Amino acid sequence: MLQKIYDWIDERADITPIWRDIADHEVPEHVNPAHHFSAFVYCFGGLTFFVVVIQILSGMFLTMYYVPDIENAWKSVYYLQTEVAHGQIVRGMHHWGASVVIVMLLLHTLRVFFQGAYKKPRELNWIVGVLIFFIMLGLGFTGYLLPWDNKAFFATQVGLEIAQQVPFIGEELKTLLAGDPNIVGAQTLTRFFAIHVFFLPGALFALLAIHFILIRRQGISGPL
Amino acid sequence: MHKGKGMKFVGDSRIATERKPNVPKDYSEYPGRTEAFWPNFLLKEWLVGAVFLVGFLCLTLAHPSPLEGMADPTNASYIPLPDWYFLFLYELLKYEFASQNYILMGILVLPGIAFGALLLAPFLDNGPGRRPHQRPISVGMMLLALASVIWLTYESAANVDWESRAEANKPIPPGEEAEIDTEHAGYAVYENSCLSCHGDNLQGGGAGPSLIGIDKSAEEIATIAKEGIGSMPPDQFTGTDEELEQLVDFIVSVNEQSEE
């Protein structure tokens, strides 16, 4: 039955080549923890992606309750945390996932760095990877404000003051992020929400796609 | 791939009528003990992922994500702190060569050099050797950067009393702020002795925690008012015993109301 459905779709959309590109490849011995225990270091990248998926899913559920408005943002998070069934777990996954993703990303980066896996022909993929790292830090910075509690508010205020001190474009940069040259308030929250939920994830998905396509094109780097 | 004349398509689409057999390539020429990704290796990856997920959920269950009180821009005494992965950048700004007149050093030059070098690592370290001992300069720089980041993070985090921070900034459940009976005899005493730190609605402030939802008996509250606790100095309350009784009665009544 499943085979028939597959054949029916395949005849119309020719999905077999796509399937080959995604799944039909060999995994070399030196990255297989079944043969070399130390090959667990090759799991870091995959686990980073796993946490990213957790972040996307938990974030999608959080937006069902979250209200990006200074009157209600904190109250909606408090309600989610205390009243909604399993809300504490979903928010906990998003909160801790934000930290774990940085840790895994760092481990993955260090693995690639110390193995010299970024050398020719993989320079481009390294650059894409570092850009993903920056996007993640941006997601962390913007997401920190969203619960609209004291630590969020004052950390963002400091962050914006630092942005303001950049020469020439400092004031404009701060206004772009905060929505106002002086006030950290309603505008700031909605801007950070938009950046956190639409702008940065969009950039992240594009970069992840390039990252994975390049890995499948070039294959994993050989043993040292 | 077959191109050009003689090609047949499904309907008016660009999909060829001629079917390619759906068999995987022969991997016998690959070196070493390779393993097919689908489904053998993917199963192992799922197992690693499952173990990771269990560990992650344990962390989530053991430590509920923190939430402080609602943002209060007028709170002048709050000491701001970024998330832990920005602490090293924050700590850097406390050094003399990276603050005040040299602030650009701290916010642009040093992080710019570090992250720029990370971004351009393949072009800075462009020799053919991949092993760490074949590229001592880049590996040395990375170890140095790593050590500084860890040191700066430690320096920044070690000076923070995380528990008292969390304690002082506990959230007040919404709806409990309005239940303050300002006609109560104890409120006048509260106004004189406690309000400046604990706020006009007992909600807490920069210097003192919220007094709503505390798990203390009347005697304990009376003792704390006279002798202090933690960072609260003694002799905050200096009135008659009758006033003390009114004060304690007031705080207890507010707490009892909020529990209903």
Side-chain angles (χ1 to χ4, degrees):
Chain A
M1 182 63 190
L2 276 176
Q3 186 65 43
K4 270 191 180 162
I5 295 173
Y6 180 86
D7 288 342
W8 190 89
I9 297 170
D10 193 34
E11 192 194 344
R12 282 156 184 80
D14 199 19
I15 55 176
T16 296
I18 302 171
W19 165 250
R20 282 201 181 129
D21 284 343
I22 292 170
D24 193 16
H25 59 274
E26 286 287 277
V27 178
E29 180 187 329
H30 73 281
V31 306
N32 194 334
H35 298 305
H36 305 279
F37 185 74
S38 60
F40 264 113
V41 295
Y42 288 96
C43 289
F44 294 153
L47 288 176
T48 309
F49 178 62
F50 184 52
V51 187
V52 170
V53 172
I54 290 177
Q55 291 303 90
I56 294 165
L57 292 177
S58 57
M60 276 158 54
F61 280 102
L62 287 180
T63 54
M64 287 183 170
Y65 288 91
Y66 180 74
V67 184
D69 145 64
I70 50 171
E71 273 297 311
N72 296 306
W74 185 87
K75 286 175 188 160
S76 67
V77 176
Y78 186 83
Y79 177 76
L80 178 78
Q81 181 95 355
T82 53
E83 305 284 334
V84 178
H86 307 305
Q88 196 179 43
I89 294 176
V90 175
R91 178 162 179 257
M93 287 174 82
H94 205 72
H95 171 86
W96 289 111
S99 290
V100 172
V101 83
I102 299 285
V103 173
M104 296 312 297
L105 210 49
L106 184 69
L107 291 175
H108 177 57
T109 308
L110 292 178
R111 192 279 290 174
V112 172
F113 182 87
F114 286 115
Q115 288 192 338
Y118 53 69
K119 287 179 177 285
K120 196 184 170 188
R122 297 186 174 80
E123 302 99 319
L124 203 56
N125 217 7
W126 168 268
I127 289 175
V128 171
V130 175
L131 292 178
I132 291 176
F133 206 147
F134 294 162
I135 298 269
M136 286 295 181
L137 291 176
L139 282 165
F141 178 66
T142 50
Y144 202 61
L145 176 70
L146 300 186
W148 200 250
D149 59 357
N150 271 324
K151 86 180 159 190
F153 179 84
F154 289 103
T156 302
Q157 204 173 41
V158 171
L160 291 172
E161 273 163 21
I162 291 172
Q164 192 180 13
Q165 283 166 322
V166 173
F168 308 121
I169 58 158
E171 290 291 332
E172 283 77 8
L173 189 64
K174 190 189 175 193
T175 310
L176 177 71
L177 287 170
D180 187 280
N182 300 311
I183 305 166
V184 178
Q187 283 265 350
T188 319
L189 185 60
T190 44
R191 288 203 179 195
F192 271 51
F193 179 73
I195 294 169
H196 185 79
V197 176
F198 295 106
F199 290 82
L200 290 181
L204 179 71
F205 294 160
L207 288 172
L208 279 180
I210 300 172
H211 205 62
F212 293 152
I213 289 169
L214 280 172
I215 293 169
R216 292 294 297 116
R217 273 282 155 80
Q218 302 175 327
I220 203 153
S221 59
L224 276 174
Chain B
M1 200 183 139
H2 182 69
K3 277 182 183 170
K5 258 190 175 181
M7 273 198 82
K8 290 204 177 90
F9 298 95
V10 177
D12 61 350
S13 76
R14 295 174 56 224
I15 291 167
T17 320
E18 222 173 291
R19 311 298 307 155
K20 286 181 233 101
N22 188 13
V23 284
K25 284 164 274 173
D26 187 11
Y27 291 114
S28 54
E29 310 122 65
Y30 273 66
R33 289 169 287 178
T34 61
E35 189 172 30
F37 172 76
W38 174 271
N40 308 26
F41 191 73
L42 188 63
L43 178 67
K44 289 176 188 163
E45 284 192 338
W46 275 75
L47 289 175
V48 173
V51 171
F52 182 84
L53 186 62
V54 169
F56 179 67
L57 284 177
C58 286
L59 171 74
T60 307
L61 291 173
H63 299 279
S65 53
L67 181 67
E68 295 189 348
M70 189 167 164
D72 175 15
T74 59
N75 184 346
S77 62
Y78 191 89
I79 302 159
L81 208 61
D83 218 349
W84 66 268
Y85 42 85
F86 289 119
L87 281 179
F88 72 101
L89 287 171
Y90 194 52
E91 183 71 13
L92 180 67
L93 301 181
K94 292 182 183 162
Y95 285 83
E96 216 172 305
F97 60 84
S99 55
Q100 304 296 328
N101 295 331
Y102 307 105
I103 187 75
L104 288 183
M105 196 74 176
I107 62 169
L108 281 184
V109 178
L110 289 177
I113 290 174
F115 284 110
L118 187 75
L119 187 68
L120 299 175
F123 306 102
L124 301 172
D125 169 31
N126 54 7
R130 275 182 54 199
R131 290 162 190 275
H133 65 82
Q134 286 166 313
R135 44 199 188 95
I137 295 174
S138 60
V139 167
M141 298 289 260
M142 179 54 115
L143 289 175
L144 194 69
L146 207 57
S148 349
V149 167
I150 292 172
W151 169 251
L152 285 171
T153 307
Y154 171 79
E155 276 286 279
S156 184
N159 294 323
V160 180
D161 186 351
W162 299 97
E163 276 171 15
S164 70
R165 246 184 105 86
E167 189 63 30
N169 294 299
K170 266 202 292 197
I172 320 115
E176 288 182 12
E177 292 163 30
E179 290 173 29
I180 307 296
D181 176 16
T182 51
E183 300 297 310
H184 196 289
Y187 186 77
V189 186
Y190 175 83
E191 225 173 354
N192 283 333
S193 305
C194 324
L195 185 136
S196 59
C197 291
H198 292 290
D200 51 0
N201 289 321
L202 282 73
Q203 81 276 26
S210 166
L211 296 180
I212 300 172
I214 50 173
D215 186 24
K216 298 248 189 298
S217 69
E219 289 80 39
E220 284 175 304
I221 295 173
T223 317
I224 291 169
K226 279 193 288 192
E227 294 171 12
I229 186 172
S231 59
M232 174 175 167
D235 295 326
Q236 289 301 299
F237 171 80
T238 49
T240 63
D241 284 353
E242 193 192 346
E243 282 172 339
L244 181 63
E245 206 169 292
Q246 287 171 340
L247 173 69
V248 170
D249 185 49
F250 167 68
I251 294 174
V252 169
S253 73
V254 171
N255 272 286
E256 277 169 357
Q257 270 178 39
S258 74
E259 271 170 32
E260 280 162 16

